[in-house]
Amino acid sequence: MIIFRIMILGILLFNFLLSQSAKDKNILDKKLNIVFKDMVLKDVLDTLSKMTFVKFIYEDDLVKGIKISYKAENEELRDLLSKILKANGLEFLIVDSVTIAVGKARKQGQLTKVGEVKGIVKGEGGEVLPSANILIKETGTGCITDQNGEFRITLREGVYTFEVSYIGYKKKSLRVEVKGGSVTFVDCVLESGVFYIGTIEVVASGTEDVIPTEAVSKTYISGAEIEHFQATSLGDVLDLVPGVQKTENPGIAKTSQVAIRGFEIDKMSAFGTLVIVDGAPLSNNANLQFQKWVSGITGPSNLGGSIDLRTIPADNIESVEVIRGVPSVRFGDMTSGVIIVNTKTGYQPHRLKVKNNPDTKEANLGGAFRLGKQVLSYNLNLAQSERNIRLRGDEFTRLTGQIVLSRNLFNDRLVFNTKFYAQRIFDEEQPRGDVYMTRNYNRGYTLQYSIWGNYRFMEPIGSVDYNVYVTFRRENSMKSKLVQSDVRVLPSGDTVSSYIGKLETKGAEWTVGSRVEYNIMFSGFGLFHKMLAGVDVQYNANTGEGVILDTLFNYYGPESGKLPYKFDDIPGQILPSLYLEDKITGKILGMDFSLTLGFRYEMYRPYKFNIKGLWGDGDIIKSYNGTYFNPRGNLILYLTKNNQIRLSAGVSSKSPPMSSIYPEPTVIKWRDPVNNAIVYIRPQTRNPYLKGYREKQVEVGYDHRFLNMIGLSVSAYYKYRDNEPSAYTIPVFHYDSLNRKVYYIDKYGVNQNLGWSIGKGVEFSIKTARIKNLNIEFQVVGAYTFTKRSSRGFNYDPTPDASLGQYPNYKVPNVPIDTLIGFVYDRSIEWRDRFILNYFVKYMVRSLGLWITFRAENVVMERYRYYNLQPIDFSLPTVTEDTKKSREFEESVKKKPSKWLLSLNISQSIFRGAEISFYVNNLLDDPAIHRYQSNYKGDLAEEKRNPPLFYGIEISMTIDDFIKTIIKK
């Protein structure tokens, strides 16, 4: 590994030292008013540099003794330089957009190889498009067209991607080759493809959208799609990601977690998915809500899983980007994908939305105010779900608000955003008429303050991106139940046979962090580099009362060993990371390519610097929960303009959840059969040195564009995750030294790095651009997913069944006699796979302000198999035929038949700035009932695989005129 580190660092440093900075803003167009009177040429150039932020390079001998007298009135820098230099036998040459070389004519061509790109941007009707935006993706900067739709820009020799956009037209990408000393002409025609349904911006797919433009596999979901599909939370949005099965209707009644390239029951995949909102990661590392109220109605616990996605309102989301493949090294402490959420910030109209479906009601108000050169945006969201509309006192309520102040300073070179976010949650269950008079709730609130933005340098070409965040999440949950037991005598002398047991959790989760990243762009050896280096630090902790449990009226019963504990007694964890990456673009064997190489060095609770690690003897930084060097790389090779190959490989790691490091304490109660004494044993279940786990992933993809209209993309991936936290079984024994006898008491688990899983699959999509005559787009998305998982630990059974060939094989440790009690055997192995096809038909009519989407989900195949590794000797005559059949049935492949789920979404303009949206899920009201054999005897059971028929409506409108009236009054 040390050789690989040195190799990457050496390559990147070598390229950096051999390069010069480059920028693509046309500095020669700047117009000046200035007067020089007998000024030395060196001072003239220094003055121009301060006025234009241009750097002049020259030999001192060339400018010695030359004095300039000149008056410029509204004159372009290009003309000014030509006149004052030519008169003194000098000329200039653009090195890049912020650097100009001055020299004699005979030396110009030797200074550098640059070329110029001139072009014009038009609409499909031939109209020129002034102020069209041109972004050079390799440099991250660009220019705009003039009033004639023309532009010109000087760049170093190389191949660039020009991304041309204009409001009301579809974005277009062009590959442009710039040759030194020559001019390249570009004629760009944009296709009109944007229209508004009320305030929903509808963008039709163009030819450039039908295949990916980057090597990494990702799904981009726009705010328009989110509104059209009427998502209530981020969890609903992720139904549009390939491979995710739609099992619930939109809403916030149940806990929502994510499964990217995996299955919903895999908590390690959910926990390893990184969710970032406006640059701030939403960590679930510190979740210790072991006793949170969960049920079949509220959904499963997200302890050791992802954050609860229903806490992120969808109505305030501008866009979502889901990275399924190998991500950039800027993303760390993750293994199973990245979800990047951008909320609506910056200037926008004031807008009110109201939506309603059978169990959820929601209202959203958002907009922005201009405060001089600043923009203050806001959003308020109120949503409530009735889990059972026939009951009252059974609701989930979400109150969310945020304010963002956005500022651009120093001629727009500094972008600064400040955000304050607050949310209140009420998750209640107190059904009226409950004869047991019990009550459950999960209440709490979240406060977040964050700062993010970037500073762009004029020289060298680059920027510093930054973000700082503090998230405070207050937990307040309670659950109660009727506990019936034998008659107990209380200290007061009273007796009880039943009581209401109550259990509370009160505390706070803290997530504090910051990231600083330096970006620089340069060229060398005919290659263009975009390099980034960063530092990322996160701190997670719990504070507060913790679990409050009345041991006298124990919620788990009088014989329970559960104990209360304080969150203040649990230490926090600090997770610093360093990363470096270089994105290289250029040509190889006549083909364009883009190669990204980088690594991330992650430390989970570091405590010591190890100098020997510099030459490969252990980790450079030693950490309690592991130190990981994670290299990653992505390559996209453009075979032609219509087909390309994508290759990815990389390693990522995740810190262990604090719930695995610090599980809830417990006491084992045992009665000694010799003297009837009660013995209390408190096992040490904590493992403060539990390590993180890693995932290695490789992927290969191929994309092809047919007839400049249809795109085909296919990706195949394989990933292996190792050292997952998994409970290691430890039996507890008592040794009677007087009788030299060993008694088995009980067993408990301690989390160790024993788990592993394998994932592989194939994803593909067939997508068309908008068919003009039909106003229709078609898309078919398919995903085959396979996972296999187990643990290297063992199961312990204190009472082996000799009739099945199970004999004691566990030697009791730390006793002076040779004793075998119980037997151990390998953990079970399970695998499951699934093949899902999604069909989309989108119909868009600009003149009618209409957008209709028909979606059909087809789960073609779903299988599951479980391998029980508990040994049975089938050759023994004592093994019955029923036992054989039961094991055979248990280990058989369970299959589910193909099923369909049909949905319809309609959005329609009703008047200027207003629209109405309607959807129906499960159009045919098909429950997709799966009847299956539940045991080897042939007994039948059934399950509903589709959510019930469901519908919803949303009305949205801008209220700017109303707001302006209020302000005037």
Side-chain angles (χ1 to χ4, degrees):
M1 184 166 60
I2 189 67
I3 296 176
F4 188 81
R5 301 182 205 180
I6 295 173
M7 181 182 68
I8 290 181
L9 288 172
I11 290 173
L12 299 180
L13 182 60
F14 182 65
N15 283 324
F16 177 76
L17 294 175
L18 289 172
S19 63
Q20 299 176 6
S21 59
K23 196 167 186 178
D24 50 337
K25 184 179 178 183
N26 199 336
I27 53 177
L28 294 177
D29 290 340
K30 185 159 182 77
K31 294 184 178 182
L32 302 172
N33 292 297
I34 195 167
V35 177
F36 301 116
K37 187 174 182 180
D38 288 333
M39 186 178 290
V40 177
L41 179 56
K42 183 179 183 303
D43 294 336
V44 170
L45 297 178
D46 289 344
T47 301
L48 293 174
S49 180
K50 292 176 182 178
M51 295 179 65
T52 62
F53 299 103
V54 172
K55 179 181 179 181
F56 292 95
I57 56 176
Y58 47 81
E59 296 178 8
D60 290 338
D61 292 340
L62 289 176
V63 298
K64 278 184 179 180
I66 299 178
K67 291 188 176 182
I68 303 296
S69 294
Y70 188 80
K71 181 179 180 180
E73 294 183 356
N74 199 30
E75 189 171 357
E76 289 186 356
L77 179 60
R78 175 186 293 101
D79 297 332
L80 188 154
L81 288 175
S82 296
K83 292 175 182 178
I84 65 175
L85 294 178
K86 187 175 181 181
N88 293 281
L90 301 174
E91 293 187 11
F92 70 91
L93 183 69
I94 302 173
V95 176
D96 55 46
S97 315
V98 293
T99 308
I100 293 178
V102 176
K104 294 182 180 179
R106 62 184 177 86
K107 292 185 177 180
Q108 284 182 354
Q110 300 171 3
L111 291 173
T112 189
K113 291 183 178 181
V114 295
E116 192 171 29
V117 179
K118 293 184 178 180
I120 185 169
V121 180
K122 300 178 181 179
E124 56 186 341
E127 67 279 12
V128 297
L129 301 178
S131 299
N133 186 59
I134 294 142
L135 172 68
I136 291 85
K137 297 192 70 173
E138 288 74 11
T139 66
T141 52
C143 62
I144 61 174
T145 58
D146 61 19
Q147 60 182 1
N148 299 316
E150 298 177 350
F151 71 93
R152 63 180 179 182
I153 193 166
T154 304
L155 294 166
R156 290 189 177 188
E157 192 173 61
V159 179
Y160 299 88
T161 304
F162 281 51
E163 191 173 84
V164 186
S165 59
Y166 191 78
I167 296 175
Y169 292 80
K170 288 191 289 185
K171 188 182 297 181
K172 188 170 186 177
S173 294
L174 303 170
R175 301 288 289 176
V176 179
E177 183 176 359
V178 179
K179 296 182 179 180
S182 64
V183 178
T184 302
F185 293 92
V186 173
D187 189 3
C188 180
V189 178
L190 296 184
E191 182 182 350
S192 179
V194 177
F195 65 94
Y196 288 88
I197 297 177
T199 53
I200 300 177
E201 183 183 77
V202 183
V203 182
S205 297
T207 57
E208 72 281 356
D209 300 319
V210 296
I211 61 175
T213 57
E214 298 183 51
V216 63
S217 294
K218 63 173 64 174
T219 299
Y220 178 83
I221 304 169
S222 68
E225 291 177 287
I226 294 170
E227 294 192 53
H228 178 58
F229 284 97
Q230 294 188 54
T232 306
S233 70
L234 179 60
D236 298 336
V237 175
L238 297 181
D239 285 343
L240 300 175
V241 176
V244 175
Q245 182 178 358
K246 188 175 180 63
T247 57
E248 299 288 346
N249 284 309
I252 54 175
K254 290 187 176 182
T255 305
S256 176
Q257 297 192 65
V258 65
I260 298 176
R261 288 183 169 174
F263 290 83
E264 294 76 12
I265 63 171
D266 182 4
K267 281 206 166 185
M268 283 293 98
S269 287
F271 182 67
T273 301
L274 176 63
V275 180
I276 301 175
V277 179
D278 292 332
L282 302 184
S283 173
N284 202 38
N285 291 348
N287 189 335
L288 292 177
Q289 308 304 313
F290 295 98
Q291 306 299 342
K292 193 171 185 179
W293 166 52
V294 297
S295 69
I297 297 174
T298 64
S301 169
N302 68 328
L303 179 74
S306 77
I307 64 166
D308 190 349
L309 299 178
R310 63 180 168 166
T311 60
I312 304 176
D315 280 337
N316 192 36
I317 295 177
E318 179 67 31
S319 65
V320 176
E321 186 176 301
V322 181
I323 301 176
R324 308 189 306 276
V326 178
S328 165
V329 298
R330 61 161 46 99
F331 304 113
D333 197 33
M334 48 70 60
T335 55
S336 303
V338 183
I339 302 172
I340 304 170
V341 179
N342 294 308
T343 64
K344 295 178 179 179
T345 59
Y347 188 73
Q348 55 190 296
H350 304 280
R351 190 173 175 208
L352 175 66
K353 287 193 284 186
V354 179
K355 66 175 63 170
N356 182 49
N357 64 39
D359 63 17
T360 300
K361 297 173 177 58
E362 183 177 10
N364 192 88
L365 176 64
F369 299 93
R370 293 192 187 275
L371 305 175
K373 294 184 178 181
Q374 306 175 109
V375 175
L376 180 67
S377 59
Y378 68 93
N379 188 267
L380 300 172
N381 182 274
L382 168 62
Q384 185 180 62
S385 176
E386 292 280 353
R387 282 186 280 258
N388 189 332
I389 60 177
R390 292 180 294 274
L391 294 176
R392 299 186 64 182
D394 184 34
E395 305 92 12
F396 179 91
T397 304
R398 181 187 70 194
L399 301 168
T400 311
Q402 77 172 38
I403 297 175
V404 180
L405 182 65
S406 302
R407 288 174 283 182
N408 289 2
L409 305 171
F410 306 116
N411 294 324
D412 295 336
R413 289 164 61 187
L414 174 63
V415 178
F416 185 83
N417 299 284
T418 306
K419 172 181 172 181
F420 181 76
Y421 171 92
Q423 184 176 77
R424 190 79 163 94
I425 293 294
F426 298 93
D427 196 359
E428 307 287 332
E429 185 188 63
Q430 192 180 19
R432 295 187 179 183
D434 179 13
V435 296
Y436 297 117
M437 301 298 292
T438 59
R439 184 179 189 183
N440 304 304
Y441 60 75
N442 297 317
R443 300 171 181 167
Y445 59 87
T446 300
L447 300 175
Q448 184 189 76
Y449 178 75
S450 61
I451 300 171
W452 78 96
N454 63 76
Y455 179 81
R456 293 191 175 276
F457 301 107
M458 293 294 292
E459 179 191 351
I461 304 170
S463 65
V464 171
D465 296 345
Y466 62 89
N467 72 293
V468 181
Y469 53 90
V470 178
T471 303
F472 171 87
R473 185 164 61 206
R474 173 68 176 179
E475 295 288 350
N476 178 16
S477 65
M478 188 272 286
K479 55 184 180 181
S480 61
K481 67 179 180 180
L482 179 67
V483 180
Q484 295 180 331
S485 63
D486 297 332
V487 175
R488 300 186 64 198
V489 180
L490 303 180
S492 62
D494 296 330
T495 59
V496 296
S497 59
S498 64
Y499 58 88
I500 300 295
K502 186 171 69 171
L503 179 65
E504 295 179 276
T505 303
K506 295 183 178 181
E509 296 176 24
W510 292 86
T511 302
V512 182
S514 178
R515 179 179 66 89
V516 179
E517 178 181 295
Y518 178 69
N519 294 267
I520 186 171
M521 293 164 282
F522 55 88
S523 60
F525 292 114
L527 302 175
F528 190 88
H529 300 258
K530 187 175 182 181
M531 182 180 287
L532 59 89
V535 179
D536 194 348
V537 181
Q538 186 179 118
Y539 177 74
N540 306 115
N542 284 272
T543 59
E545 306 94 315
V547 174
I548 302 171
L549 176 66
D550 188 338
T551 55
L552 187 61
F553 296 100
N554 199 312
Y555 174 86
Y556 295 99
E559 301 300 319
S560 171
K562 298 285 187 181
L563 297 174
Y565 58 95
K566 293 184 178 181
F567 289 161
D568 287 331
D569 296 335
I570 297 173
Q573 61 179 16
I574 186 168
L575 312 174
S577 300
L578 305 171
Y579 57 91
L580 178 67
E581 183 179 87
D582 189 12
K583 183 176 182 180
I584 308 166
T585 58
K587 276 184 175 290
I588 182 172
L589 300 177
M591 294 179 291
D592 298 333
F593 76 92
S594 178
L595 172 65
T596 303
L597 290 175
F599 69 87
R600 188 178 180 98
Y601 196 69
E602 302 194 54
M603 298 153 276
Y604 304 142
R605 293 178 62 214
Y607 67 93
K608 181 180 179 182
F609 177 75
N610 174 30
I611 193 170
K612 294 181 180 180
L614 294 173
W615 50 84
D617 187 5
D619 295 316
I620 300 174
I621 304 294
K622 291 186 177 295
S623 305
Y624 289 118
N625 300 123
T627 300
Y628 299 93
F629 176 77
N630 298 327
R632 299 176 199 165
N634 288 285
L635 170 67
I636 183 167
L637 187 63
Y638 302 95
L639 304 177
T640 69
K641 67 176 183 178
N642 288 322
N643 61 343
Q644 59 195 27
I645 293 175
R646 292 174 287 115
L647 300 172
S648 299
V651 182
S652 55
S653 61
K654 183 74 180 77
S655 62
M658 294 181 72
S659 58
S660 295
I661 301 175
Y662 307 105
E664 54 186 337
T666 188
V667 169
I668 297 175
K669 182 179 179 181
W670 178 69
R671 183 184 295 275
D672 190 329
V674 177
N675 55 22
N676 288 326
I678 302 297
V679 179
Y680 294 92
I681 302 171
R682 183 166 181 170
Q684 180 53 266
T685 57
R686 293 185 175 184
N687 184 3
Y689 308 113
L690 182 69
K691 302 300 181 185
Y693 58 98
R694 303 180 82 186
E695 181 173 280
K696 301 176 182 178
Q697 183 173 187
V698 294
E699 181 177 354
V700 58
Y702 176 76
D703 313 302
H704 199 110
R705 185 188 289 111
F706 299 92
L707 305 174
N708 207 33
M709 185 73 182
I710 303 172
L712 168 67
S713 295
V714 182
S715 297
Y717 66 89
Y718 175 89
K719 56 183 182 178
Y720 176 69
R721 200 163 61 224
D722 199 11
N723 292 328
E724 297 176 351
S726 178
Y728 179 79
T729 304
I730 301 177
V732 181
F733 302 92
H734 172 71
Y735 173 62
D736 184 353
S737 58
L738 183 63
N739 298 309
R740 294 180 60 81
K741 188 173 181 181
V742 178
Y743 296 94
Y744 168 74
I745 297 177
D746 204 344
K747 59 184 177 180
Y748 66 96
V750 176
N751 285 302
Q752 303 281 3
N753 295 106
L754 301 172
W756 60 267
S757 66
I758 294 172
K760 54 187 176 181
V762 177
E763 299 169 344
F764 71 89
S765 70
I766 302 173
K767 184 178 181 181
T768 71
R770 180 171 63 95
I771 303 173
K772 295 181 181 179
N773 296 333
L774 300 177
N775 294 316
I776 288 179
E777 297 176 20
F778 295 96
Q779 185 177 8
V780 181
V781 179
Y784 170 77
T785 306
F786 172 92
T787 63
K788 185 177 182 179
R789 54 187 308 198
S790 184
S791 170
R792 292 185 294 273
F794 60 80
N795 290 322
Y796 176 83
D797 188 341
T799 57
D801 189 344
S803 67
L804 302 178
Q806 301 168 354
Y807 306 102
N809 63 359
Y810 183 83
K811 185 180 183 304
V812 178
N814 303 319
V815 296
I817 58 176
D818 189 5
T819 304
L820 297 177
I821 296 181
F823 81 118
V824 294
Y825 55 93
D826 291 334
R827 293 278 183 89
S828 60
I829 300 174
E830 64 177 39
W831 65 258
R832 61 183 67 234
D833 66 351
R834 182 171 61 196
F835 180 36
I836 298 180
L837 288 172
N838 280 281
Y839 303 87
F840 294 88
V841 180
K842 300 179 182 180
Y843 178 66
M844 305 175 184
V845 185
R846 180 196 302 264
S847 59
L848 299 178
L850 177 65
W851 181 3
I852 300 175
T853 299
F854 175 76
R855 177 187 178 188
E857 178 189 86
N858 178 209
V859 180
V860 181
M861 175 267 295
E862 192 170 1
R863 300 182 300 179
Y864 167 78
R865 188 170 188 179
Y866 172 83
Y867 296 93
N868 185 347
L869 300 183
Q870 181 176 359
I872 296 178
D873 187 350
F874 292 101
S875 65
L876 293 176
T878 51
V879 178
T880 66
E881 193 64 27
D882 281 352
T883 301
K884 294 178 181 179
K885 290 181 178 179
S886 178
R887 173 60 68 87
E888 181 180 351
F889 175 81
E890 182 182 27
E891 296 192 343
S892 64
V893 177
K894 310 299 190 300
K895 299 179 181 179
K896 295 183 180 181
S898 174
K899 79 170 185 73
W900 290 84
L901 178 65
L902 308 181
S903 303
L904 180 68
N905 294 77
I906 303 174
S907 297
Q908 171 71 63
S909 295
I910 48 180
F911 55 83
R912 182 180 177 84
E915 75 280 345
I916 185 170
S917 298
F918 176 76
Y919 73 89
V920 181
N921 282 347
N922 197 356
L923 271 170
L924 303 181
D925 195 18
D926 176 15
I929 294 176
H930 169 47
R931 292 181 175 85
Y932 59 94
Q933 185 178 332
S934 62
N935 55 47
Y936 76 97
K937 296 179 180 180
D939 295 338
L940 294 178
E942 64 179 36
E943 66 168 332
K944 293 182 178 180
R945 300 173 65 199
N946 275 344
L949 174 70
F950 205 73
Y951 55 87
I953 190 170
E954 175 185 282
I955 299 176
S956 171
M957 63 178 294
T958 58
I959 54 174
D960 286 58
D961 293 338
F962 178 71
I963 295 291
K964 290 177 182 177
T965 302
I966 293 178
I967 293 175
K968 288 179 180 180
K969 289 183 179 181

